[in-house]
Amino acid sequence: MKHKIGILGFGTVGQGISEILLDKKEYLKKKYGFKFDIVAVADFIFGNVYNPKGLNIPQLLKEAKAGKKFTQDVVDWDNKKIIQKSNTTVWCELTYTDLNTGGPAIDHVKTALKSGKHVITSNKGPAALFYPEMKKLADKNNIKFMIEGTVVAGTPVINLTEGPLAGCEISKIRGILNGTTNYMLTEMEKGMSYEDVLKVAQEKGYAEADPTGDVEGYDARGKVTILANIVMGAGIKIADVACKGITGIKPKDIETAKKQNKRWKLIGSVEKKAGKITASVGPEMIDLGHPLAGVMGAINALTFTTDLLGDVTIVGPGAGKIETGFAILTDLLAIHRNS
Ligand code: HSE
């Protein structure tokens, strides 16, 4: 079967997965029998394009990188129509995250699932706010709603707990869940100013469209909510997660930590105690000898405390164009294996 892929949002991640699919087309076919065309792209800046036989992706990438509107295969269909009427079999929802309403992504996800098309997303809005409803809708239509890219980019987290760690009960998850702030704290320790390093994090594609979500801890709070609900079955809302960001950390605080042989990290945690699950996000001074203290730059790390294996830690990239694009690829391949 040939997968007919649609992409909603041709920003950092949309371009990332497109580049990966372009570069690896032959490898994916040879190694996994994974054949595909990218037939639809919908972007609120560049426009909506559709070609049932496959779009000219190098051309789209060239135009998007130059900040120009798409010129080939342009359609005047809105997002709802392109999702429903195209010959797509799977949609990658990669628009910006809104953790208050989940929109506009949640409308895209619902429309695609109701049309019997798989959905893969790195957008935390639908996953943090509406996962149970979307999973139910997908199950009802015998299709997949996949969200590996919502937590720690392509570094396996959801897949790890649902695959290799299945059978272990997880009582605690603790770690660094936001690449932007970990990168900022790393560079601020070397002497760079908060404003300058935030600008670099945006240029590198780590930060959200509105970086307030990163520095205030809201992005990490969304991920903590997803982990609490999907991995630990907590049934909590975003508002239940206590949250503090890194905006209050000043050069003098970094010096204080250094003097105590410590380092600031923004830590997200979910813990089950006496049957009750609590979750939080906040900056902590970590001893330099602690494994999390050595995790620098845009790298993330999560430790799962399990009943059968004790602590299992995964460390890897938590943000970035190719790193998050890879998460979309893993979900595409999972859909392919199931098809
Ligand atoms: N802004 C996020 C981060 C991107 O810095 O971790 C990945 O969710």
Side-chain angles (χ1 to χ4, degrees):
M1 132 179 220
K2 203 169 194 188
H3 302 272
K4 296 282 184 178
I5 301 172
I7 296 177
L8 282 147
F10 206 62
T12 306
V13 186
Q15 292 178 33
I17 181 59
S18 300
E19 285 175 14
I20 293 172
L21 289 173
L22 206 58
D23 289 350
K24 288 187 177 269
K25 190 162 187 155
E26 281 314 304
Y27 167 80
L28 294 170
K29 189 165 123 191
K30 245 191 210 157
K31 182 141 176 130
Y32 305 107
F34 179 77
K35 289 182 268 176
F36 69 91
D37 290 315
I38 301 178
V39 294
V41 173
D43 186 277
F44 78 105
I45 295 173
F46 307 124
N48 290 5
V49 286
Y50 173 53
N51 184 328
K53 292 192 177 138
L55 294 162
N56 179 348
I57 297 302
Q59 174 77 13
L60 297 184
L61 284 165
K62 205 167 132 197
E63 288 171 344
K65 283 184 208 303
K68 291 186 181 152
K69 283 198 172 287
F70 296 142
T71 54
Q72 275 182 16
D73 300 310
V74 177
V75 287
D76 63 1
W77 297 356
D78 63 13
N79 289 357
K80 189 171 177 188
K81 191 163 175 189
I82 205 169
I83 293 169
Q84 289 174 330
K85 301 283 176 209
S86 57
N87 66 344
T88 43
T89 55
V90 50
W91 277 95
C92 305
E93 210 304 328
L94 312 172
T95 62
Y96 62 90
T97 292
D98 180 335
L99 282 168
N100 294 314
T101 66
I106 189 60
D107 296 330
H108 302 151
V109 173
K110 261 191 217 160
T111 305
L113 293 177
K114 280 185 184 164
S115 311
K117 302 177 181 198
H118 303 290
V119 173
I120 296 169
T121 190
S122 58
N123 190 315
K124 287 156 288 247
L129 299 169
F130 302 107
Y131 184 82
E133 296 95 310
M134 294 307 109
K135 175 81 171 64
K136 214 165 138 191
L137 190 53
D139 289 348
K140 194 176 128 201
N141 290 334
N142 206 18
I143 46 174
K144 298 278 178 198
F145 175 54
M146 309 205 59
I147 62 159
E148 178 61 43
T150 60
V151 182
V152 192
T155 304
V157 169
I158 309 283
N159 289 340
L160 177 72
T161 58
E162 288 182 350
L165 289 183
C168 274
E169 283 180 49
I170 296 169
S171 56
K172 188 158 87 173
I173 308 173
R174 189 176 145 79
I176 297 165
L177 280 160
N178 181 268
T180 302
T181 46
N182 206 50
Y183 177 78
M184 289 176 70
L185 290 170
T186 301
E187 295 303 314
M188 281 160 67
E189 206 180 301
K190 293 182 199 159
M192 209 164 167
S193 76
Y194 178 95
E195 291 74 19
D196 286 351
V197 73
L198 176 57
K199 226 171 122 212
V200 180
Q202 284 176 294
E203 283 162 11
K204 286 182 179 281
Y206 302 149
E208 297 299 303
D210 175 1
T212 315
D214 294 292
V215 295
E216 295 289 2
Y218 307 147
D219 171 76
R221 179 167 63 169
K223 292 168 184 167
V224 160
T225 309
I226 294 169
L227 289 173
N229 289 337
I230 293 164
V231 178
M232 291 173 66
I236 60 167
K237 301 268 180 233
I238 287 186
D240 299 329
V241 181
C243 178
K244 195 173 168 191
I246 65 157
T247 48
I249 296 182
K250 305 289 174 216
K252 70 171 177 19
D253 301 311
I254 290 175
E255 282 313 308
T256 307
K258 265 188 197 168
K259 278 183 200 143
Q260 295 177 25
N261 281 328
K262 291 181 178 180
R263 173 172 283 152
W264 285 100
K265 294 288 174 194
L266 186 66
I267 301 292
S269 65
V270 188
E271 194 167 1
K272 193 187 233 168
K273 260 191 194 155
K276 195 173 178 290
I277 295 175
T278 52
S280 64
V281 171
E284 290 181 27
M285 281 201 286
I286 305 280
D287 283 328
L288 288 184
H290 190 283
L292 286 181
V295 177
M296 306 298 272
I299 299 297
N300 286 187
L302 275 179
T303 298
F304 298 91
T305 302
T306 75
D307 55 349
L308 303 179
L309 287 177
D311 282 357
V312 176
T313 299
I314 183 138
V315 181
K321 181 163 105 172
I322 297 301
E323 296 84 343
T324 312
F326 169 68
I328 309 304
L329 177 63
T330 60
D331 284 348
L332 279 168
L333 291 174
I335 287 173
H336 176 64
R337 280 196 298 277
N338 267 298
S339 64

